Amino acid sequence: MIKVKSFLGKVTHEGIYQMDNHINDWLKDNEVTPLQIKQSFGMERLRGESEEPVVIITVWYTAP
């Protein structure tokens, strides 16, 4: 069965670094086999009118 896991991070050096670590830890802890990885950018609306750029990584995988 193919599953998907999505990760959302801030578009900053620190945000990308944290997301990399989160994805690497998740891959290691769950021993999944990635089939396809996609990346997209968007804007997250914060309280009020301000928006913040975000990156979304989706990992399509099979589990052991």
Side-chain angles (χ1 to χ4, degrees), residues 11-25:
V11 182
T12 64
H13 290 292
E14 182 65 25
I16 298 297
Y17 175 77
Q18 288 177 357
M19 188 166 52
D20 286 346
N21 287 329
H22 185 71
I23 292 170
N24 288 331
D25 290 344

Side-chain angles (χ1 to χ4, degrees), residues 9-52:
K10 294 182 179 183
V11 182
T12 64
H13 290 292
E14 182 65 25
I16 298 297
Y17 175 77
Q18 288 177 357
M19 188 166 52
D20 286 346
N21 287 329
H22 185 71
I23 292 170
N24 288 331
D25 290 344
W26 177 79
L27 289 169
K28 180 182 172 189
D29 292 345
N30 292 283
E31 299 178 356
V32 301
T33 302
L35 301 174
Q36 188 174 44
I37 300 171
K38 296 288 185 174
Q39 172 182 297
S40 60
F41 290 93
M43 299 297 283
E44 179 180 32
R45 185 169 299 258
L46 303 173
R47 293 183 190 131
E49 298 291 322
S50 65
E51 292 184 335
E52 175 174 277

